[in-house]
Amino acid sequence: MIKKRLIAVIILRDGRVVQSEKFIHNHVIHYDALHAVECFSRWDVDEIVLLNVSKENKSKAEFLKIVAHVSKTCWVPLSVGGHIDEVQYGMDLISNGADKLLLNSQFYYEPNVPNELYKNLGRQCIIASIDLKNVNNKKLVHVNRGNHCTNNTIEDWVSHCTKYGAGEFFLNNIDHDGNRQGYDLDALRKCLAVTQAPVIIFGGAFLEKHFADGIECGASAVAAANIFHYKEMATKKIKRYLNKKNFNIRIQK
Amino acid sequence: MRSMSKIGIINYGLGNIKSVENSIIYNNQECNSITNASEIFSCDKIILPGVGSFSEASKRLIDNHYFDSLKEWVENYNNKLLGICLGMQLLCNSSEESDGNNRGLAFIDEDVEKLSSPNYNILPNIGWSDVKFVNSSQNAFNGDYYFVHSYGVYCRNPYHTLAKSFYGDSEFASGITNGKNIYGFQFHPEKSHLLGLSLINWFCKL
């Protein structure tokens, strides 16, 4: 039986690991991506997500180099995302050591990109990253790093992304991002109700309990970024906590 | 003393070639990326990786003459073949996942089916899952490995089962073999931390 996953998200801006709070990435954490990947890979993490949040499209080439570099010693699955606006770039990321691709705005602006990648790589390789934000008390899907409201609800967007090849979902709520108040479980429930695909919940986890809440609610994987950088061995501690709570998770031998 | 074996990874544009390569280098072995079918004859170990759709992979392998070459190559039992993920599925006769060409290598007389279980329906099946090797001499390899797939093999012939895992309540073959020189894993040993790396090492030393 497949186990619930704990995922560490590493957010890179211009090649450096940064903290994320409501999608503002001003605080640089002082070590490089390789160091972060190596630590997480040792500390019981089940998967690593590497996100390029640089504003500039020209950051793509450097990000590709970083992926090639970190994948050499990354012995857990590596999912990568950011600026995958061409099919060839997605294929290059895979041939340089990425295992799965996260796409977000492309499902809105150029859905043929995820669709072509799906045809080449299969659905299991394509993660649709979905960002929600409250607008007049309604949760709506945003793209372009949270700057553009698509006016779509989560339910509509999940079926749209599925149509264009998504085999997994990475769900974030910008209002929860970095707020330490726990995941948006309401959005998670809505997402789970309309898909059979695995759903990764992200944004807002700080306490051990938050991770348990995500799994209990039905997420296939619970993800976090900031907390893992600041609490030494946080990933191991969270795993131990989840294990004690009798969740079906992997404990490294 | 036996000379060090020559390991080749078939690079037909549809695999996580790099990850497999990295895991072999980790085990202090050399490997070659193979882009031409004739090159397999200079290797005594071949890894067939693969992600994506069965029909596309099968088509590419046929078009690039790998089917015929591999058939000839595996007849020498000193040669060892390992299929990973889709590469494992391609060792079988056919797959239910067909939108066109449905032909496998037919090295192991089994067929690939869509995963199903009475009370569980999350697909694709992504994540870590327990693997139990059938032969007690391989107990050291029992443990969690990383899977990412929607189709799998339910062996009709138990002799072909190398390892077992569960999807929901249904048990499938997470490892298969022809009992001689051909092996396949549904999971990704190259992405399954230290345990997976030790399994890669096992194949390198076969």
Side-chain angles (χ1 to χ4, degrees), chain B residues 65-138:
Chain B
H65 314 292
Y66 283 109
F67 264 52
D68 296 334
S69 307
L70 278 170
K71 269 187 183 130
E72 194 185 325
W73 184 85
V74 294
E75 273 171 29
N76 178 351
Y77 291 158
N78 290 322
N79 290 336
K80 315 283 184 204
L81 176 64
L82 172 64
I84 296 175
C85 197
L86 182 61
M88 175 198 106
Q89 298 179 1
L90 287 159
L91 303 175
C92 300
N93 302 329
S94 72
S95 171
E96 224 176 64
E97 181 193 11
S98 79
D99 42 350
N101 171 46
N102 189 23
R103 213 176 115 208
L105 286 157
F107 291 162
I108 297 173
D109 182 17
E110 299 289 349
D111 294 286
V112 183
E113 297 167 50
K114 191 159 190 173
L115 293 172
S116 71
S117 172
N119 301 310
Y120 186 79
N121 65 359
I122 295 180
L123 277 179
N125 191 41
I126 301 178
W128 298 72
S129 196
D130 205 37
V131 171
K132 203 166 185 265
F133 282 81
V134 173
N135 192 324
S136 58
S137 70
Q138 291 184 303

Side-chain angles (χ1 to χ4, degrees), chain A residues 70-90:
Chain A
V70 302
S71 70
K72 283 196 181 110
T73 50
C74 181
W75 307 120
V76 296
L78 179 67
S79 302
V80 307
H83 296 287
I84 305 178
D85 48 12
E86 293 163 301
V87 175
Q88 190 53 50
Y89 184 61

Side-chain angles (χ1 to χ4, degrees), chain B residues 9-182:
Chain B
I9 305 172
I10 298 183
N11 184 355
Y12 58 116
L14 281 179
N16 53 340
I17 311 294
K18 204 81 190 167
S19 304
V20 176
E21 219 175 84
N22 290 338
S23 69
I24 291 170
I25 294 167
Y26 173 90
N27 282 302
N28 295 317
Q29 300 272 333
E30 278 178 41
C31 60
N32 306 276
S33 164
I34 290 175
T35 51
N36 186 316
S38 62
E39 295 170 50
I40 66 168
F41 293 99
S42 62
C43 300
D44 59 0
K45 293 209 174 76
I46 293 286
I47 297 179
L48 178 61
V51 294
S53 81
F54 189 95
S55 23
E56 177 63 23
S58 165
K59 185 178 170 298
R60 286 196 188 199
L61 288 173
I62 292 171
D63 290 352
N64 294 297
H65 314 292
Y66 283 109
F67 264 52
D68 296 334
S69 307
L70 278 170
K71 269 187 183 130
E72 194 185 325
W73 184 85
V74 294
E75 273 171 29
N76 178 351
Y77 291 158
N78 290 322
N79 290 336
K80 315 283 184 204
L81 176 64
L82 172 64
I84 296 175
C85 197
L86 182 61
M88 175 198 106
Q89 298 179 1
L90 287 159
L91 303 175
C92 300
N93 302 329
S94 72
S95 171
E96 224 176 64
E97 181 193 11
S98 79
D99 42 350
N101 171 46
N102 189 23
R103 213 176 115 208
L105 286 157
F107 291 162
I108 297 173
D109 182 17
E110 299 289 349
D111 294 286
V112 183
E113 297 167 50
K114 191 159 190 173
L115 293 172
S116 71
S117 172
N119 301 310
Y120 186 79
N121 65 359
I122 295 180
L123 277 179
N125 191 41
I126 301 178
W128 298 72
S129 196
D130 205 37
V131 171
K132 203 166 185 265
F133 282 81
V134 173
N135 192 324
S136 58
S137 70
Q138 291 184 303
N139 275 351
F141 296 120
N142 290 351
D144 290 325
Y145 292 86
Y146 182 72
F147 287 79
V148 45
H149 62 135
S150 295
Y151 294 80
V153 176
Y154 297 89
C155 283
R156 286 183 301 260
N157 181 347
Y159 179 71
H160 293 148
T161 307
L162 182 63
K164 296 174 180 177
S165 297
F166 281 93
Y167 171 74
D169 296 327
S170 78
E171 195 176 56
F172 65 96
S174 47
I176 57 173
T177 179
N178 70 343
K180 297 185 187 86
N181 61 335
I182 301 173

